[in-house]
Amino acid sequence: MKKLIAGNWKMNTDLSQGSELISSITDKIQANKELQDNCDFLVCPPFVYLSSIKGVASGAQDCSSHKSGAYTGEISASMIKDCGGSYVILGHSERRSYHGESSAVVSDKAKAAHEAGLIAIICVGESENQRDQGQEQTVVGGQLLGSIPDTATAQNTVIAYEPVWAIGTGKTASPKDVADMHSFIRSKLNGLIEGSEKVRILYGGSMKPENAGELLAIPNVDGGLIGGASLNADAFIEIGLAAWAN
Ligand code: PGA
């Protein structure tokens, strides 16, 4: 499966930093035909910069579960599409924890995304405490079951496994833990999504050029969801290079 290297800019950059970053990323991708053939790149900036992203696939970091109407401050999936976005990240742990998003909410948002023709990247992952108590598969299994709507297909859905304790901390899960969890997720998807073997499962949590090669070589790791390192064009592209070097 072609790896997907997805950058989650979170609430970072300003307009000029963002445009510099994107032109540097697209220049580097366009200069390397082999890289384009071997990896798909995606950039998810803050909403307001979405329409300025050209030359690489783009997506948003959240969307409303509603189509339109009196929902002050919300952005619909079709608006993301209008601004050139083709993906939306949903259920990121920062949204689950700071905005109280339950899996039921994530599922409604993913359904709205699918209906608007977007690909939903549905994030799941356990906390450190849950892993210490050996509950990681129960937690992730429950999140998958609750967050994937019946509109999901292998084409319109990507899963991102992001252990909460590895996000932005510099800690990564061990290759064995990643392998076990990705294989567990693959088996859980069977029954939830038709053609589940074709669903991309990304790893996220402190992925950087130094560890990307090892992580992306693990079976069932079909790409990365990258936060901090996606704000540096060289680091982001090097992760892409590591993806097909294996
Ligand atoms: P990180 O973030 O790469 O900075 O750990 C990943 C994410 O939150 O998607």
Side-chain angles (χ1 to χ4, degrees):
M1 207 181 306
K2 202 169 172 185
K3 308 273 192 209
L4 175 64
I5 305 301
N8 173 12
W9 289 8
K10 307 193 180 184
M11 197 172 73
N12 290 301
T13 74
D14 58 22
L15 186 56
S16 78
Q17 290 164 341
S19 21
E20 235 172 80
L21 180 57
I22 205 64
S23 62
S24 176
I25 289 171
T26 50
D27 285 354
K28 288 173 200 291
I29 297 173
Q30 273 152 24
N32 190 335
K33 171 86 172 58
E34 252 183 327
L35 187 58
Q36 293 168 44
D37 290 345
N38 286 286
C39 273
D40 289 327
F41 284 92
L42 166 68
V43 168
C44 299
F47 281 128
V48 287
Y49 305 142
L50 194 54
S51 33
S52 58
I53 307 289
K54 306 269 183 279
V56 63
S58 63
Q61 301 169 16
D62 182 36
C63 75
S64 174
S65 58
H66 303 285
K67 280 201 167 93
S68 65
Y71 301 102
T72 302
E74 294 207 38
I75 308 279
S76 74
S78 62
M79 291 170 183
I80 294 167
K81 187 115 210 238
D82 272 352
C83 291
S86 44
Y87 286 77
V88 59
I89 299 170
L90 294 171
H92 189 281
S93 73
E94 286 149 20
R95 299 226 41 105
R96 288 183 190 261
S97 65
Y98 307 148
H99 300 272
E101 282 188 12
S102 63
S103 289
V105 168
V106 176
S107 171
D108 287 345
K109 289 183 170 192
K111 190 170 185 164
H114 292 153
E115 284 168 352
L118 294 180
I119 300 171
I121 301 180
I122 297 176
C123 303
V124 294
E126 80 287 355
S127 67
E128 189 153 35
N129 196 22
Q130 289 164 333
R131 178 164 280 271
D132 288 346
Q133 290 174 11
Q135 290 175 343
E136 65 276 10
Q137 292 197 347
T138 314
V139 170
V140 168
Q143 288 174 335
L144 289 170
L145 200 63
S147 308
I148 299 176
D150 56 11
T151 46
T153 66
Q155 288 70 43
N156 69 14
T157 304
V158 173
I159 305 298
Y161 169 58
E162 300 202 303
V164 177
W165 47 271
I167 297 176
T169 58
K171 295 187 202 166
T172 40
S174 73
K176 182 178 180 314
D177 289 345
V178 174
D180 289 350
M181 184 56 87
H182 279 241
S183 125
F184 169 75
I185 292 173
R186 179 74 67 205
S187 69
K188 269 280 171 193
L189 291 179
N190 182 10
L192 287 176
I193 304 182
E194 209 176 311
S196 57
E197 68 287 349
K198 296 202 193 77
V199 176
R200 276 165 156 167
I201 307 173
L202 313 182
Y203 171 81
S206 298
M207 189 181 276
K208 46 186 182 266
E210 295 76 21
N211 60 22
E214 186 176 35
L215 288 165
L216 292 165
I218 297 170
N220 293 305
V221 176
D222 308 307
L225 183 54
I226 299 128
S230 74
L231 296 170
N232 177 302
D234 287 326
F236 189 54
I237 296 297
E238 274 174 47
I239 292 174
L241 291 168
W244 62 274
N246 289 280

